[in-house]
Amino acid sequence: MPRVLSGIQPTGDVHLGNYLGAIRQWVEHQHHHDAYFCVVDLHALTVPRDPAHLRARTLETAQLLLAAGLDPSVCTLFVQSHRHEHAELAWVLQCVASIGELRRMTQFKDKAAREGEEAARVGLFTYPVLQAADILLYQADHVPVGDEQRQHLELCRDLAERFNHRYGEVFTVPEATVPAVGARIMDLQVPTMKMSKSSESPQGTISILDDPEVVTRKIKRAVTDTEAEVRYDPKDKPGVSNLLTILAAATGRSVEDAAAGYTQYGPLKADTAEAVVELLAPVRARYRELEVEKDAAAILAQGAAKAASVAAPTVTRAREAVGLLPRA
Ligand code: TYM
């Protein structure tokens, strides 16, 4: 079976973009792949965080993934820092990556531009190398992600190829799997910006656990434009195009099909809201059940043990390849 790996940061409320861009694919993939999914808590450290909050968020994010449909009897769900191999391989790969290629990463450039490069954590700079380690450790063939992770995946492929060329074939060179519709969900209030966990726009972000009334209100208040024409045109009509994307992704259609028949924004918003509420209802319901069960910690412990069976041999091979003395 081909292998998949993907990850999510425990840095805020999991939102509709995460769900449509990534998580929904994971749930699908787990049945046809040897599947590994991790909550990437080490990545969350690249920005200062309250320790207790990070711990709580890590567990909560895992619970949400279970509620979304990840089934620990068919996939491996774990916390990144529970496998020390991630940090270990990241170091080796940092010695393969160049400063120039990391500087070209748009996520780093954007964050550094906003917050100033001087104060940015070194971890923010080397973040994509840790991400490459996450993927290469598991010899993943496919990496299901949203659109904005494409560049990080290209870097991961480059690092794998460079390593293999220099030290011998150790890593599988992975490919990104990006959904045809929903790979880039935008903020409802600022539709030129992607929907984001760290956004300061709560009205523009739909959390997976938002009440149906809240989802409906946010979608009804979504920013559109002053024309009254329903047409998919992300450049000139970002708000309307985002609603069409959400409607299409939620109902499993193309954006063109989703747009057919609408002449006004009101009905488009009402139907989009209904489709999203329906899409998220089972996740909310299962999350409530899981909250009572509180079994996520045990599932994560099992997941970490299963992850070791792939991660440990890969690290051993990488260590040997670069010339580190074998451990006694
Ligand atoms: P993160 O936590 O920001 O997002 C998790 C997944 O959700 C996707 N996503 C979106 N998709 C559509 N529209 C959006 N607005 C949107 N926002 C987020 C992301 O593309 C991602 O697939 N660096 C990664 C986490 C990571 C990882 C990995 C991913 C760490 N190691 C190894 C894959 C493989 C991140 O910050 O994702």
Side-chain angles (χ1 to χ4, degrees), residues 5-9 15 17-18 21-22 40 43 127 131 134-135 143-146 148-149 182-185 194-195 197:
L5 175 128
S6 200
I8 183 166
Q9 289 201 63
H15 56 70
N18 299 132
V40 294
H43 277 110
Y127 178 114
Q131 180 163 347
D134 299 339
I135 298 165
V143 185
V145 284
E148 95 290 358
Q149 294 299 324
R184 193 174 186 82
I185 301 298
K194 71 167 184 129
M195 192 177 282
K197 287 195 222 83

PDB file of all heavy atoms in Angstrom, residues 5-9 15 17-18 21-22 40 43 127 131 134-135 143-146 148-149 182-185 194-195 197, ligand 1:
ATOM      1  N   LEU A   5       1.569  10.690   4.659  1.00  0.00           N
ATOM      2  CA  LEU A   5       1.778  11.363   5.938  1.00  0.00           C
ATOM      3  C   LEU A   5       1.328  12.798   5.786  1.00  0.00           C
ATOM      4  O   LEU A   5       1.535  13.423   4.739  1.00  0.00           O
ATOM      5  CB  LEU A   5       3.258  11.371   6.346  1.00  0.00           C
ATOM      6  CG  LEU A   5       3.439  12.211   7.636  1.00  0.00           C
ATOM      7  CD1 LEU A   5       4.180  11.471   8.699  1.00  0.00           C
ATOM      8  CD2 LEU A   5       4.015  13.590   7.370  1.00  0.00           C
ATOM      9  N   SER A   6       0.689  13.315   6.830  1.00  0.00           N
ATOM     10  CA  SER A   6       0.432  14.747   6.860  1.00  0.00           C
ATOM     11  C   SER A   6       0.352  15.208   8.307  1.00  0.00           C
ATOM     12  O   SER A   6       0.323  14.383   9.226  1.00  0.00           O
ATOM     13  CB  SER A   6      -0.833  15.111   6.078  1.00  0.00           C
ATOM     14  OG  SER A   6      -0.795  16.479   5.749  1.00  0.00           O
ATOM     15  N   GLY A   7       0.334  16.531   8.486  1.00  0.00           N
ATOM     16  CA  GLY A   7       0.331  17.053   9.848  1.00  0.00           C
ATOM     17  C   GLY A   7      -0.456  18.347   9.955  1.00  0.00           C
ATOM     18  O   GLY A   7      -0.768  18.995   8.962  1.00  0.00           O
ATOM     19  N   ILE A   8      -0.785  18.685  11.193  1.00  0.00           N
ATOM     20  CA  ILE A   8      -1.511  19.934  11.464  1.00  0.00           C
ATOM     21  C   ILE A   8      -0.961  20.535  12.741  1.00  0.00           C
ATOM     22  O   ILE A   8      -0.640  19.813  13.689  1.00  0.00           O
ATOM     23  CB  ILE A   8      -3.033  19.663  11.553  1.00  0.00           C
ATOM     24  CG1 ILE A   8      -3.798  20.971  11.772  1.00  0.00           C
ATOM     25  CG2 ILE A   8      -3.375  18.660  12.667  1.00  0.00           C
ATOM     26  CD1 ILE A   8      -5.295  20.837  11.526  1.00  0.00           C
ATOM     27  N   GLN A   9      -0.867  21.851  12.763  1.00  0.00           N
ATOM     28  CA  GLN A   9      -0.358  22.533  13.963  1.00  0.00           C
ATOM     29  C   GLN A   9      -1.464  22.694  15.005  1.00  0.00           C
ATOM     30  O   GLN A   9      -2.585  23.061  14.652  1.00  0.00           O
ATOM     31  CB  GLN A   9       0.115  23.942  13.585  1.00  0.00           C
ATOM     32  CG  GLN A   9       1.368  23.973  12.777  1.00  0.00           C
ATOM     33  CD  GLN A   9       2.028  25.341  12.903  1.00  0.00           C
ATOM     34  OE1 GLN A   9       2.438  25.756  13.982  1.00  0.00           O
ATOM     35  NE2 GLN A   9       2.102  26.051  11.802  1.00  0.00           N
ATOM     36  N   HIS A  15     -10.160  24.903  11.451  1.00  0.00           N
ATOM     37  CA  HIS A  15     -11.193  25.646  10.708  1.00  0.00           C
ATOM     38  C   HIS A  15     -11.588  24.935   9.414  1.00  0.00           C
ATOM     39  O   HIS A  15     -11.011  23.910   9.024  1.00  0.00           O
ATOM     40  CB  HIS A  15     -10.725  27.078  10.452  1.00  0.00           C
ATOM     41  CG  HIS A  15      -9.410  27.171   9.743  1.00  0.00           C
ATOM     42  ND1 HIS A  15      -9.253  26.809   8.428  1.00  0.00           N
ATOM     43  CD2 HIS A  15      -8.185  27.561  10.171  1.00  0.00           C
ATOM     44  CE1 HIS A  15      -7.998  26.993   8.073  1.00  0.00           C
ATOM     45  NE2 HIS A  15      -7.314  27.442   9.120  1.00  0.00           N
ATOM     46  N   GLY A  17     -11.055  25.686   6.382  1.00  0.00           N
ATOM     47  CA  GLY A  17      -9.969  25.549   5.404  1.00  0.00           C
ATOM     48  C   GLY A  17      -9.159  24.288   5.677  1.00  0.00           C
ATOM     49  O   GLY A  17      -8.880  23.506   4.764  1.00  0.00           O
ATOM     50  N   ASN A  18      -8.820  24.049   6.933  1.00  0.00           N
ATOM     51  CA  ASN A  18      -8.085  22.826   7.305  1.00  0.00           C
ATOM     52  C   ASN A  18      -8.890  21.593   6.897  1.00  0.00           C
ATOM     53  O   ASN A  18      -8.345  20.614   6.400  1.00  0.00           O
ATOM     54  CB  ASN A  18      -7.844  22.742   8.820  1.00  0.00           C
ATOM     55  CG  ASN A  18      -7.007  23.879   9.381  1.00  0.00           C
ATOM     56  OD1 ASN A  18      -7.380  24.481  10.385  1.00  0.00           O
ATOM     57  ND2 ASN A  18      -5.886  24.197   8.757  1.00  0.00           N
ATOM     58  N   GLY A  21      -9.296  21.537   2.905  1.00  0.00           N
ATOM     59  CA  GLY A  21      -8.012  21.438   2.215  1.00  0.00           C
ATOM     60  C   GLY A  21      -7.251  20.166   2.554  1.00  0.00           C
ATOM     61  O   GLY A  21      -6.534  19.627   1.714  1.00  0.00           O
ATOM     62  N   ALA A  22      -7.402  19.713   3.801  1.00  0.00           N
ATOM     63  CA  ALA A  22      -6.543  18.619   4.234  1.00  0.00           C
ATOM     64  C   ALA A  22      -7.299  17.469   4.911  1.00  0.00           C
ATOM     65  O   ALA A  22      -7.310  16.348   4.412  1.00  0.00           O
ATOM     66  CB  ALA A  22      -5.472  19.166   5.180  1.00  0.00           C
ATOM     67  N   VAL A  40       1.540  18.521  14.953  1.00  0.00           N
ATOM     68  CA  VAL A  40       2.941  18.961  14.937  1.00  0.00           C
ATOM     69  C   VAL A  40       3.193  20.029  16.009  1.00  0.00           C
ATOM     70  O   VAL A  40       3.258  21.220  15.741  1.00  0.00           O
ATOM     71  CB  VAL A  40       3.381  19.410  13.516  1.00  0.00           C
ATOM     72  CG1 VAL A  40       3.373  18.233  12.555  1.00  0.00           C
ATOM     73  CG2 VAL A  40       2.508  20.520  12.962  1.00  0.00           C
ATOM     74  N   HIS A  43       6.406  22.234  15.637  1.00  0.00           N
ATOM     75  CA  HIS A  43       6.225  23.383  14.737  1.00  0.00           C
ATOM     76  C   HIS A  43       5.534  24.545  15.449  1.00  0.00           C
ATOM     77  O   HIS A  43       5.785  25.713  15.144  1.00  0.00           O
ATOM     78  CB  HIS A  43       5.410  22.973  13.507  1.00  0.00           C
ATOM     79  CG  HIS A  43       6.240  22.321  12.440  1.00  0.00           C
ATOM     80  ND1 HIS A  43       6.136  20.986  12.125  1.00  0.00           N
ATOM     81  CD2 HIS A  43       7.192  22.820  11.630  1.00  0.00           C
ATOM     82  CE1 HIS A  43       6.985  20.696  11.155  1.00  0.00           C
ATOM     83  NE2 HIS A  43       7.647  21.785  10.837  1.00  0.00           N
ATOM     84  N   TYR A 127      11.755  25.882   9.948  1.00  0.00           N
ATOM     85  CA  TYR A 127      10.465  25.185  10.005  1.00  0.00           C
ATOM     86  C   TYR A 127      10.256  24.199   8.847  1.00  0.00           C
ATOM     87  O   TYR A 127       9.898  23.040   9.056  1.00  0.00           O
ATOM     88  CB  TYR A 127       9.401  26.292  10.016  1.00  0.00           C
ATOM     89  CG  TYR A 127       7.965  25.903  10.014  1.00  0.00           C
ATOM     90  CD1 TYR A 127       7.148  26.187  11.110  1.00  0.00           C
ATOM     91  CD2 TYR A 127       7.382  25.308   8.914  1.00  0.00           C
ATOM     92  CE1 TYR A 127       5.817  25.858  11.098  1.00  0.00           C
ATOM     93  CE2 TYR A 127       6.044  24.975   8.902  1.00  0.00           C
ATOM     94  CZ  TYR A 127       5.267  25.254   9.995  1.00  0.00           C
ATOM     95  OH  TYR A 127       3.949  24.923   9.995  1.00  0.00           O
ATOM     96  N   GLN A 131       9.561  20.050   8.733  1.00  0.00           N
ATOM     97  CA  GLN A 131       8.432  19.483   7.995  1.00  0.00           C
ATOM     98  C   GLN A 131       8.922  18.397   7.022  1.00  0.00           C
ATOM     99  O   GLN A 131       8.300  17.342   6.887  1.00  0.00           O
ATOM    100  CB  GLN A 131       7.689  20.594   7.242  1.00  0.00           C
ATOM    101  CG  GLN A 131       6.510  20.073   6.448  1.00  0.00           C
ATOM    102  CD  GLN A 131       5.534  21.168   6.037  1.00  0.00           C
ATOM    103  OE1 GLN A 131       5.599  22.294   6.539  1.00  0.00           O
ATOM    104  NE2 GLN A 131       4.643  20.858   5.127  1.00  0.00           N
ATOM    105  N   ASP A 134       9.529  15.303   8.944  1.00  0.00           N
ATOM    106  CA  ASP A 134       8.265  14.612   9.260  1.00  0.00           C
ATOM    107  C   ASP A 134       7.892  13.658   8.130  1.00  0.00           C
ATOM    108  O   ASP A 134       7.458  12.531   8.359  1.00  0.00           O
ATOM    109  CB  ASP A 134       7.096  15.608   9.391  1.00  0.00           C
ATOM    110  CG  ASP A 134       7.278  16.624  10.496  1.00  0.00           C
ATOM    111  OD1 ASP A 134       8.071  16.372  11.408  1.00  0.00           O
ATOM    112  OD2 ASP A 134       6.615  17.692  10.426  1.00  0.00           O
ATOM    113  N   ILE A 135       8.026  14.160   6.922  1.00  0.00           N
ATOM    114  CA  ILE A 135       7.566  13.411   5.742  1.00  0.00           C
ATOM    115  C   ILE A 135       8.544  12.289   5.393  1.00  0.00           C
ATOM    116  O   ILE A 135       8.153  11.139   5.188  1.00  0.00           O
ATOM    117  CB  ILE A 135       7.412  14.381   4.547  1.00  0.00           C
ATOM    118  CG1 ILE A 135       6.349  15.444   4.864  1.00  0.00           C
ATOM    119  CG2 ILE A 135       7.091  13.617   3.262  1.00  0.00           C
ATOM    120  CD1 ILE A 135       6.364  16.646   3.934  1.00  0.00           C
ATOM    121  N   VAL A 143       1.529  13.290   0.185  1.00  0.00           N
ATOM    122  CA  VAL A 143       1.340  14.179   1.321  1.00  0.00           C
ATOM    123  C   VAL A 143       0.106  15.039   1.040  1.00  0.00           C
ATOM    124  O   VAL A 143       0.170  16.004   0.271  1.00  0.00           O
ATOM    125  CB  VAL A 143       2.584  15.079   1.540  1.00  0.00           C
ATOM    126  CG1 VAL A 143       2.416  15.919   2.800  1.00  0.00           C
ATOM    127  CG2 VAL A 143       3.847  14.238   1.633  1.00  0.00           C
ATOM    128  N   PRO A 144      -1.039  14.668   1.617  1.00  0.00           N
ATOM    129  CA  PRO A 144      -2.260  15.441   1.369  1.00  0.00           C
ATOM    130  C   PRO A 144      -2.263  16.756   2.148  1.00  0.00           C
ATOM    131  O   PRO A 144      -2.302  16.758   3.381  1.00  0.00           O
ATOM    132  CB  PRO A 144      -3.384  14.508   1.849  1.00  0.00           C
ATOM    133  CG  PRO A 144      -2.736  13.486   2.728  1.00  0.00           C
ATOM    134  CD  PRO A 144      -1.280  13.447   2.420  1.00  0.00           C
ATOM    135  N   VAL A 145      -2.228  17.856   1.422  1.00  0.00           N
ATOM    136  CA  VAL A 145      -2.142  19.195   2.031  1.00  0.00           C
ATOM    137  C   VAL A 145      -2.956  20.197   1.231  1.00  0.00           C
ATOM    138  O   VAL A 145      -3.339  19.941   0.091  1.00  0.00           O
ATOM    139  CB  VAL A 145      -0.681  19.712   2.067  1.00  0.00           C
ATOM    140  CG1 VAL A 145       0.136  19.048   3.155  1.00  0.00           C
ATOM    141  CG2 VAL A 145      -0.005  19.570   0.710  1.00  0.00           C
ATOM    142  N   GLY A 146      -3.155  21.365   1.826  1.00  0.00           N
ATOM    143  CA  GLY A 146      -3.758  22.495   1.125  1.00  0.00           C
ATOM    144  C   GLY A 146      -2.707  23.171   0.242  1.00  0.00           C
ATOM    145  O   GLY A 146      -1.503  22.870   0.324  1.00  0.00           O
ATOM    146  N   GLU A 148      -1.243  26.075   0.110  1.00  0.00           N
ATOM    147  CA  GLU A 148      -0.121  26.910   0.553  1.00  0.00           C
ATOM    148  C   GLU A 148       1.067  26.079   1.038  1.00  0.00           C
ATOM    149  O   GLU A 148       2.130  26.632   1.305  1.00  0.00           O
ATOM    150  CB  GLU A 148      -0.581  27.949   1.588  1.00  0.00           C
ATOM    151  CG  GLU A 148      -0.413  27.582   3.045  1.00  0.00           C
ATOM    152  CD  GLU A 148      -1.333  26.488   3.535  1.00  0.00           C
ATOM    153  OE1 GLU A 148      -2.174  26.003   2.758  1.00  0.00           O
ATOM    154  OE2 GLU A 148      -1.203  26.104   4.709  1.00  0.00           O
ATOM    155  N   GLN A 149       0.882  24.750   1.104  1.00  0.00           N
ATOM    156  CA  GLN A 149       2.014  23.902   1.513  1.00  0.00           C
ATOM    157  C   GLN A 149       2.819  23.380   0.319  1.00  0.00           C
ATOM    158  O   GLN A 149       3.811  22.673   0.504  1.00  0.00           O
ATOM    159  CB  GLN A 149       1.520  22.725   2.359  1.00  0.00           C
ATOM    160  CG  GLN A 149       0.938  23.129   3.708  1.00  0.00           C
ATOM    161  CD  GLN A 149       1.968  23.835   4.591  1.00  0.00           C
ATOM    162  OE1 GLN A 149       3.149  23.514   4.583  1.00  0.00           O
ATOM    163  NE2 GLN A 149       1.508  24.830   5.323  1.00  0.00           N
ATOM    164  N   GLY A 182     -11.198  23.477  -3.041  1.00  0.00           N
ATOM    165  CA  GLY A 182     -11.112  23.653  -1.589  1.00  0.00           C
ATOM    166  C   GLY A 182      -9.696  23.677  -1.047  1.00  0.00           C
ATOM    167  O   GLY A 182      -9.492  23.689   0.160  1.00  0.00           O
ATOM    168  N   ALA A 183      -8.711  23.718  -1.939  1.00  0.00           N
ATOM    169  CA  ALA A 183      -7.317  23.699  -1.485  1.00  0.00           C
ATOM    170  C   ALA A 183      -6.884  25.042  -0.896  1.00  0.00           C
ATOM    171  O   ALA A 183      -5.830  25.134  -0.260  1.00  0.00           O
ATOM    172  CB  ALA A 183      -6.394  23.330  -2.640  1.00  0.00           C
ATOM    173  N   ARG A 184      -7.698  26.066  -1.134  1.00  0.00           N
ATOM    174  CA  ARG A 184      -7.345  27.383  -0.618  1.00  0.00           C
ATOM    175  C   ARG A 184      -8.627  28.143  -0.269  1.00  0.00           C
ATOM    176  O   ARG A 184      -9.203  28.843  -1.097  1.00  0.00           O
ATOM    177  CB  ARG A 184      -6.547  28.150  -1.680  1.00  0.00           C
ATOM    178  CG  ARG A 184      -5.877  29.383  -1.151  1.00  0.00           C
ATOM    179  CD  ARG A 184      -4.991  30.021  -2.213  1.00  0.00           C
ATOM    180  NE  ARG A 184      -4.259  31.119  -1.629  1.00  0.00           N
ATOM    181  CZ  ARG A 184      -3.139  30.961  -0.923  1.00  0.00           C
ATOM    182  NH1 ARG A 184      -2.611  29.780  -0.759  1.00  0.00           N
ATOM    183  NH2 ARG A 184      -2.555  32.019  -0.401  1.00  0.00           N
ATOM    184  N   ILE A 185      -9.082  27.951   0.957  1.00  0.00           N
ATOM    185  CA  ILE A 185     -10.285  28.640   1.421  1.00  0.00           C
ATOM    186  C   ILE A 185      -9.857  29.986   2.000  1.00  0.00           C
ATOM    187  O   ILE A 185      -8.905  30.061   2.778  1.00  0.00           O
ATOM    188  CB  ILE A 185     -11.007  27.787   2.504  1.00  0.00           C
ATOM    189  CG1 ILE A 185     -11.393  26.404   1.947  1.00  0.00           C
ATOM    190  CG2 ILE A 185     -12.218  28.520   3.060  1.00  0.00           C
ATOM    191  CD1 ILE A 185     -12.362  26.408   0.790  1.00  0.00           C
ATOM    192  N   LYS A 194      -5.917  34.051   3.150  1.00  0.00           N
ATOM    193  CA  LYS A 194      -6.469  32.705   3.383  1.00  0.00           C
ATOM    194  C   LYS A 194      -7.029  32.585   4.804  1.00  0.00           C
ATOM    195  O   LYS A 194      -6.568  33.276   5.717  1.00  0.00           O
ATOM    196  CB  LYS A 194      -5.433  31.622   3.075  1.00  0.00           C
ATOM    197  CG  LYS A 194      -4.329  31.545   4.066  1.00  0.00           C
ATOM    198  CD  LYS A 194      -3.510  30.286   3.898  1.00  0.00           C
ATOM    199  CE  LYS A 194      -2.505  30.291   5.010  1.00  0.00           C
ATOM    200  NZ  LYS A 194      -2.342  29.177   5.844  1.00  0.00           N
ATOM    201  N   MET A 195      -8.012  31.724   4.944  1.00  0.00           N
ATOM    202  CA  MET A 195      -8.566  31.448   6.272  1.00  0.00           C
ATOM    203  C   MET A 195      -7.452  30.810   7.085  1.00  0.00           C
ATOM    204  O   MET A 195      -6.787  29.896   6.613  1.00  0.00           O
ATOM    205  CB  MET A 195      -9.760  30.503   6.145  1.00  0.00           C
ATOM    206  CG  MET A 195     -10.570  30.375   7.403  1.00  0.00           C
ATOM    207  SD  MET A 195     -12.032  29.303   7.193  1.00  0.00           S
ATOM    208  CE  MET A 195     -13.177  30.379   6.350  1.00  0.00           C
ATOM    209  N   LYS A 197      -5.670  29.778  11.193  1.00  0.00           N
ATOM    210  CA  LYS A 197      -5.844  29.577  12.640  1.00  0.00           C
ATOM    211  C   LYS A 197      -5.381  30.790  13.417  1.00  0.00           C
ATOM    212  O   LYS A 197      -5.876  31.087  14.480  1.00  0.00           O
ATOM    213  CB  LYS A 197      -5.031  28.366  13.110  1.00  0.00           C
ATOM    214  CG  LYS A 197      -5.583  27.033  12.707  1.00  0.00           C
ATOM    215  CD  LYS A 197      -4.927  25.932  13.535  1.00  0.00           C
ATOM    216  CE  LYS A 197      -4.587  24.723  12.695  1.00  0.00           C
ATOM    217  NZ  LYS A 197      -3.304  24.857  11.976  1.00  0.00           N
TER     218      LYS A 197
HETATM  219  P1  TYM B   1      -1.474  23.967   9.156  1.00  0.00           P
HETATM  220  O1  TYM B   1      -1.608  23.474  10.551  1.00  0.00           O
HETATM  221  O2  TYM B   1      -1.379  25.415   8.913  1.00  0.00           O
HETATM  222  O3  TYM B   1      -2.669  23.413   8.282  1.00  0.00           O
HETATM  223  C1  TYM B   1      -3.053  22.050   8.255  1.00  0.00           C
HETATM  224  C2  TYM B   1      -3.522  21.697   6.855  1.00  0.00           C
HETATM  225  O4  TYM B   1      -4.618  22.542   6.469  1.00  0.00           O
HETATM  226  C3  TYM B   1      -4.346  23.149   5.217  1.00  0.00           C
HETATM  227  N1  TYM B   1      -4.908  24.510   5.222  1.00  0.00           N
HETATM  228  C4  TYM B   1      -5.791  24.969   4.318  1.00  0.00           C
HETATM  229  N2  TYM B   1      -6.367  24.397   3.249  1.00  0.00           N
HETATM  230  C5  TYM B   1      -7.248  25.147   2.553  1.00  0.00           C
HETATM  231  N3  TYM B   1      -7.554  26.436   2.853  1.00  0.00           N
HETATM  232  C6  TYM B   1      -6.991  27.053   3.912  1.00  0.00           C
HETATM  233  N4  TYM B   1      -7.307  28.309   4.226  1.00  0.00           N
HETATM  234  C7  TYM B   1      -6.062  26.313   4.703  1.00  0.00           C
HETATM  235  N5  TYM B   1      -5.338  26.617   5.810  1.00  0.00           N
HETATM  236  C8  TYM B   1      -4.633  25.502   6.110  1.00  0.00           C
HETATM  237  C9  TYM B   1      -2.834  23.200   5.128  1.00  0.00           C
HETATM  238  O5  TYM B   1      -2.396  23.283   3.788  1.00  0.00           O
HETATM  239  C10 TYM B   1      -2.426  21.902   5.793  1.00  0.00           C
HETATM  240  O6  TYM B   1      -2.443  20.849   4.858  1.00  0.00           O
HETATM  241  N6  TYM B   1       3.340  23.137   8.055  1.00  0.00           N
HETATM  242  C11 TYM B   1       2.032  22.533   8.132  1.00  0.00           C
HETATM  243  C12 TYM B   1       1.980  21.351   9.076  1.00  0.00           C
HETATM  244  C13 TYM B   1       2.949  20.257   8.819  1.00  0.00           C
HETATM  245  C14 TYM B   1       2.891  19.275   7.806  1.00  0.00           C
HETATM  246  C15 TYM B   1       4.004  18.425   8.028  1.00  0.00           C
HETATM  247  C16 TYM B   1       2.043  19.053   6.740  1.00  0.00           C
HETATM  248  C17 TYM B   1       4.050  19.976   9.585  1.00  0.00           C
HETATM  249  N7  TYM B   1       4.679  18.877   9.112  1.00  0.00           N
HETATM  250  C18 TYM B   1       4.267  17.332   7.189  1.00  0.00           C
HETATM  251  C19 TYM B   1       2.302  17.955   5.912  1.00  0.00           C
HETATM  252  C20 TYM B   1       3.398  17.119   6.135  1.00  0.00           C
HETATM  253  C21 TYM B   1       1.050  23.563   8.649  1.00  0.00           C
HETATM  254  O7  TYM B   1       1.398  24.526   9.278  1.00  0.00           O
HETATM  255  O8  TYM B   1      -0.250  23.228   8.435  1.00  0.00           O
END
